[in-house]
Amino acid sequence: MSSTATALSGGFALPVLFDLGATFAFALSGALAAIKRHYDIVGVLALALVTGLGGGLIRDGLFLDVGPTPLLTNSRYLEAVVLAAVCGVVLGGRIHRFARLIVIVDALGLGAYAAFGVQKSLLAGLAPPAAILVGLVNAVGGGVLRDLLCREEPLLFKPGQFYFLIALAGAVVFLFCTVTLGWSANVSAIATVTLTFVTRMLTIAFNWRTAPV
Amino acid sequence: MSSTATALSGGFALPVLFDLGATFAFALSGALAAIKRHYDIVGVLALALVTGLGGGLIRDGLFLDVGPTPLLTNSRYLEAVVLAAVCGVVLGGRIHRFARLIVIVDALGLGAYAAFGVQKSLLAGLAPPAAILVGLVNAVGGGVLRDLLCREEPLLFKPGQFYFLIALAGAVVFLFCTVTLGWSANVSAIATVTLTFVTRMLTIAFNWRTAPV
Amino acid sequence: MSSTATALSGGFALPVLFDLGATFAFALSGALAAIKRHYDIVGVLALALVTGLGGGLIRDGLFLDVGPTPLLTNSRYLEAVVLAAVCGVVLGGRIHRFARLIVIVDALGLGAYAAFGVQKSLLAGLAPPAAILVGLVNAVGGGVLRDLLCREEPLLFKPGQFYFLIALAGAVVFLFCTVTLGWSANVSAIATVTLTFVTRMLTIAFNWRTAPV
């Protein structure tokens, strides 16, 4: 485990703008879900919060238990969520024009969150399989909580376009690059995000889908 | 942050009877929701627990991560929940006679829980916006979990009488009184609870409502 | 409290195969719920994880806050979950032949998880009533989360065969044996599991049921 930690001591940190962009994109998707359901401003804020920060809160609060999470101690995350809620309300019905942009930012965030969850877990001393689990939950947890609070059956579980599997691949690739190949965390993260982004775009373009079991 | 902590060192603690009263009121509302749905004694106990302690558990377990929560280490909280479940079962169909009392205790608890969540967060080193979030979740989390477990769409998110917004106002007012005005935590809490209580009563009297976005 | 801790210092640990067997049984029940709903492989894995590890994650992450949980640091738990998901998929429609086996393993796990949750809570310094609550959540939490994610009203809350009440009895019995009678943790656990197992089998055989309140 100490060799794993050493491999990561290269100070990998997701560029802040990138991390905040992903939080913003996830929060916006939550705000839009609330608007679609004719919730009030409270529902918009609440779903933006849960979707934007949910995955990270489960990672830090439930899995890693490492004290107050950066999602709360660094106020930029909350600002990104509130901004997303405001954008959702202001843009309202015209949001579909931005649909493509949201999909792109979401696809970037998916890999970044998976890599970030894996890295944080390894530094906390978890073994690789557990780190992959935490990376996955970090990436997709907010979306599941959003569906849960809206009383939707989580989309994620039902046959559909690859999403969870791409996050899983991202977590595995990041682990492979850092621990097996010994790449620096930054280079590994770039490789991970590139791979997950391209795969996600191809999935959407060609409508690759999972099958029911 | 240290000045914030200093502002709170005045030893603010919600009077125990008050805190337990709020836990009891929230737990009772959970028990009644279970009885309305014809759950068995297990469902009554479970919903009383989740509604009475849910907001505090999210605060301590998920957000602040400060070790075993007082909700478990101080046995009075559990006793209040069990008592509420018993009252719910015994009073049964006649509970509507007490509806007004429950609304009043709930309105008192709303502001107290918001203030308590903010204070505990500041003492844990969170910045004000994060502290407001934790205060909100402390105040309304139990009710959301209750609706979630009953498969109700959380009432909170849908247009309706002011409730969440009053909790939000309470958290902001408590923060303003302690950090900006430098009032002692006790005086700030009394101001907060008074304001939220009066606003909530007026909301009910005049049926003030939020609008869908 | 120190006498309680002393009573438990006898190094009680659930035999690993037993603990893993319970995780496997719970995870399998989650995987089968997903297959029944025609989820894809993602849904099968997710429900297996939530059902198999959910109770323990709430225990360690939300209630006790004792740092990274053994469920993640000991990789065998994740292996048991993945194995259960694979078994669910491979066995598919023929799983009903194993229904009796699953019920038996589940009945064994119920008491073991209740005892384990109580013991871990006492060692973390909780008072007996809180320890009983944690034991209960440890035993039934995964099943409630499974129902929640599938948008089922938790079966647990509705009148039906004794299940939660058996877990409650198990937690109380374990506490009585260790703290009041001063038995070693191992002997107490065996007594607890025996009692809960026999009661659960009798419940199924005679269809003992709770009544709506």
Side-chain angles (χ1 to χ4, degrees):
Chain A
M1 210 70 242
S2 65
S3 70
T4 303
T6 310
L8 287 166
S9 66
F12 162 60
L14 289 170
V16 162
L17 274 178
F18 195 84
D19 196 19
L20 289 174
T23 300
F24 178 84
F26 282 132
L28 187 54
S29 87
L32 294 175
I35 291 168
K36 206 174 113 193
R37 278 170 186 76
H38 304 290
Y39 287 173
D40 61 11
I41 184 63
V42 169
V44 172
L45 266 173
L47 277 185
L49 272 166
V50 163
T51 315
L53 303 183
L57 278 174
I58 297 177
R59 178 198 64 206
D60 290 343
L62 208 52
F63 283 125
L64 301 182
D65 271 342
V66 288
T69 162
L71 301 176
L72 293 181
T73 53
N74 180 344
S75 63
R76 294 207 179 160
Y77 290 99
L78 279 179
E79 288 161 17
V81 167
V82 171
L83 186 64
V86 170
C87 285
V89 171
V90 169
L91 297 177
R94 283 162 298 161
I95 200 76
H96 59 85
R97 295 189 196 168
F98 302 89
R100 190 174 296 271
L101 179 63
I102 293 173
V103 165
I104 288 173
V105 182
D106 179 87
L108 286 168
L110 190 65
Y113 272 12
F116 196 64
V118 169
Q119 185 218 18
K120 206 164 175 182
S121 303
L122 291 176
L123 290 175
L126 296 189
I132 288 172
L133 172 62
V134 175
L136 265 175
V137 170
N138 195 13
V140 306
V144 170
L145 288 177
R146 178 196 60 214
D147 292 346
L148 200 58
L149 283 174
C150 292
R151 288 184 63 201
E152 299 282 342
E153 208 163 10
L155 271 178
L156 197 66
F157 296 172
K158 289 190 276 196
Q161 291 184 339
F162 295 165
Y163 188 85
F164 183 98
L165 292 178
I166 292 174
L168 177 60
V172 171
V173 165
F174 180 79
L175 199 70
F176 181 77
C177 292
T178 50
V179 175
T180 311
L181 300 184
W183 292 5
S184 83
N186 259 317
V187 173
S188 304
I190 291 168
T192 301
V193 172
T194 305
L195 180 97
T196 53
F197 180 73
V198 170
T199 316
R200 177 77 183 137
M201 289 296 113
L202 290 173
T203 292
I204 293 170
F206 295 103
N207 196 22
W208 290 343
R209 303 176 73 85
T210 57
V213 171
Chain B
M1 211 69 241
S2 65
S3 70
T4 303
T6 310
L8 288 165
S9 65
F12 161 60
L14 289 169
V16 161
L17 274 177
F18 196 85
D19 196 19
L20 289 174
T23 300
F24 177 84
F26 282 132
L28 187 53
S29 86
L32 294 176
I35 290 167
K36 205 174 112 194
R37 279 171 187 74
H38 303 291
Y39 287 172
D40 61 10
I41 183 63
V42 169
V44 172
L45 266 173
L47 277 185
L49 272 166
V50 164
T51 315
L53 303 183
L57 278 175
I58 297 177
R59 177 197 66 206
D60 289 343
L62 208 52
F63 283 126
L64 300 181
D65 271 341
V66 288
T69 161
L71 300 176
L72 293 182
T73 52
N74 180 343
S75 64
R76 294 210 179 157
Y77 291 98
L78 279 178
E79 288 161 15
V81 167
V82 170
L83 186 64
V86 170
C87 285
V89 171
V90 169
L91 296 177
R94 284 162 297 160
I95 201 76
H96 60 86
R97 294 188 196 168
F98 302 90
R100 191 174 297 270
L101 179 63
I102 293 173
V103 165
I104 289 172
V105 182
D106 178 87
L108 286 168
L110 190 65
Y113 271 12
F116 196 64
V118 169
Q119 185 218 20
K120 205 165 176 183
S121 304
L122 292 175
L123 290 175
L126 297 189
I132 289 172
L133 172 62
V134 175
L136 265 175
V137 170
N138 195 13
V140 305
V144 170
L145 288 176
R146 177 197 59 212
D147 292 346
L148 201 58
L149 283 174
C150 292
R151 286 184 65 200
E152 299 282 342
E153 208 164 11
L155 271 179
L156 196 67
F157 296 171
K158 288 191 279 195
Q161 290 184 339
F162 295 165
Y163 188 85
F164 183 98
L165 292 179
I166 292 174
L168 177 60
V172 171
V173 164
F174 180 78
L175 199 68
F176 182 77
C177 293
T178 49
V179 176
T180 311
L181 300 183
W183 293 5
S184 83
N186 258 317
V187 173
S188 304
I190 291 167
T192 302
V193 172
T194 305
L195 180 98
T196 53
F197 180 73
V198 170
T199 316
R200 178 74 184 139
M201 289 297 113
L202 290 173
T203 292
I204 293 170
F206 294 104
N207 196 23
W208 290 342
R209 302 176 74 83
T210 57
V213 170
Chain C
M1 210 69 245
S2 65
S3 70
T4 304
T6 310
L8 288 165
S9 66
F12 160 58
L14 288 170
V16 162
L17 274 177
F18 195 85
D19 195 18
L20 289 175
T23 301
F24 178 84
F26 282 131
L28 187 53
S29 85
L32 294 176
I35 291 167
K36 204 174 114 194
R37 278 171 187 75
H38 304 291
Y39 288 172
D40 62 10
I41 183 64
V42 169
V44 173
L45 266 173
L47 277 185
L49 272 166
V50 163
T51 315
L53 303 182
L57 278 174
I58 297 177
R59 177 198 65 207
D60 290 342
L62 209 52
F63 283 125
L64 301 181
D65 271 342
V66 287
T69 160
L71 301 177
L72 292 182
T73 53
N74 180 343
S75 63
R76 294 209 178 157
Y77 291 98
L78 279 178
E79 288 161 15
V81 167
V82 170
L83 186 64
V86 170
C87 285
V89 172
V90 169
L91 297 177
R94 284 163 296 160
I95 200 75
H96 59 86
R97 295 189 196 168
F98 302 89
R100 190 173 298 271
L101 180 62
I102 293 173
V103 165
I104 289 172
V105 182
D106 179 87
L108 286 168
L110 191 65
Y113 272 13
F116 196 64
V118 169
Q119 184 218 19
K120 206 164 176 184
S121 303
L122 291 176
L123 290 174
L126 296 189
I132 289 172
L133 172 61
V134 175
L136 265 175
V137 170
N138 195 13
V140 306
V144 170
L145 287 176
R146 178 196 59 213
D147 292 346
L148 201 58
L149 283 174
C150 292
R151 288 184 64 200
E152 299 283 342
E153 209 163 8
L155 271 178
L156 197 65
F157 296 171
K158 288 191 279 195
Q161 289 184 340
F162 296 165
Y163 188 84
F164 183 98
L165 292 179
I166 292 174
L168 176 60
V172 171
V173 165
F174 181 78
L175 200 68
F176 181 77
C177 292
T178 49
V179 176
T180 311
L181 300 184
W183 293 4
S184 83
N186 259 317
V187 173
S188 304
I190 290 167
T192 302
V193 172
T194 304
L195 180 97
T196 54
F197 180 73
V198 170
T199 316
R200 177 76 184 138
M201 289 297 112
L202 290 173
T203 292
I204 292 170
F206 294 103
N207 195 22
W208 289 342
R209 304 176 72 85
T210 57
V213 170

